[in-house]
Amino acid sequence: MPIFVTKGVSSVSMRELSKELGVSTGTLYHYFPTKEILFESMVKQLVAIDEKEITELSESHTGLADIMAFVAKREGHFINLMLLAVDVKRHLSESSELMQLVEDSFTSYRTALDRFFPTNAKTNSGKAFLSFFLGALFLKNNATEETNWPELFEGLENLMVLFQSKD
């Protein structure tokens, strides 16, 4: 994944990928006829692992602190996935397969996060959390001062109180 993040999906060649992975170009082509197929396979595997972990967390969680710890532990991973999604949207939007991959990935995360929140919560809880999370990742990645996850979640809790008081 690092080479795709660093260079962009469209700029990476199969030769560079084979070198990065330590396999011959022929072997790589045997299993993955195109770099797009390799990229799609990689993203699907990463998202499936995350989805499984979020689902397991939702079955045993004790509160928001659990999802916060999960997010903080994998921050770099999620930043890379976000950068890859933006790269696909900007440079490969003509590829309906890759655009669908981005959409399916977001749906997988949203669905897994929906299971994390209480069953009486509105069905958009996962989508709302995902929106907050992606925005927070972007801010943390571009901030000049250190912002930690507990501070961001405290701010989110303050917003929830504000919205609830308006009802």
Side-chain angles (χ1 to χ4, degrees):
M1 181 165 67
I3 193 168
F4 283 123
V5 174
T6 305
K7 295 189 80 169
V9 178
S10 60
S11 297
V12 176
S13 70
M14 287 293 270
R15 185 177 309 274
E16 289 171 309
L17 285 169
S18 68
K19 184 178 179 184
E20 182 83 11
L21 295 170
V23 298
S24 72
T25 306
T27 299
L28 195 59
Y29 273 113
H30 176 74
Y31 291 101
F32 303 100
T34 68
K35 71 177 172 190
E36 290 79 13
I37 292 172
L38 183 140
F39 176 75
E40 185 175 348
S41 177
M42 178 199 69
V43 169
K44 284 181 178 179
Q45 182 179 10
L46 291 172
V47 171
I49 291 167
D50 290 343
E51 184 179 18
K52 180 179 181 269
E53 288 184 26
I54 293 169
T55 299
E56 288 172 358
L57 188 61
S58 72
E59 293 168 354
S60 65
H61 81 288
T62 57
L64 198 54
D66 291 329
I67 196 73
M68 184 175 67
F70 175 79
V71 163
K73 180 177 77 174
R74 307 196 73 209
E75 182 178 326
H77 164 74
F78 289 118
I79 286 172
N80 286 341
L81 286 175
M82 182 176 65
L83 292 172
L84 289 172
V86 169
D87 183 53
V88 167
K89 290 266 189 184
R90 289 187 70 207
H91 300 289
L92 298 165
S93 59
E94 73 284 348
S95 169
S96 60
E97 293 86 7
L98 291 181
M99 292 299 287
Q100 189 63 50
L101 174 67
V102 171
E103 189 64 34
D104 291 347
S105 298
F106 282 115
T107 299
S108 293
Y109 283 112
R110 190 183 71 238
T111 302
L113 288 165
D114 277 340
R115 285 189 290 256
F116 180 83
F117 294 99
T119 55
N120 63 345
K122 294 194 175 8
T123 58
N124 287 331
S125 298
K127 187 176 185 178
F129 181 84
L130 193 56
S131 297
F132 163 78
F133 174 63
L134 291 174
L137 272 179
F138 181 78
L139 289 174
K140 284 181 67 51
N141 195 41
N142 292 301
T144 54
E145 67 180 56
E146 181 67 25
T147 305
N148 60 42
W149 285 106
E151 289 174 355
L152 290 170
F153 277 97
E154 184 179 311
L156 182 60
E157 288 173 352
N158 291 337
L159 283 175
M160 288 189 304
V161 168
L162 178 68
F163 282 120
Q164 289 170 351
S165 68
K166 298 229 182 232
D167 290 339

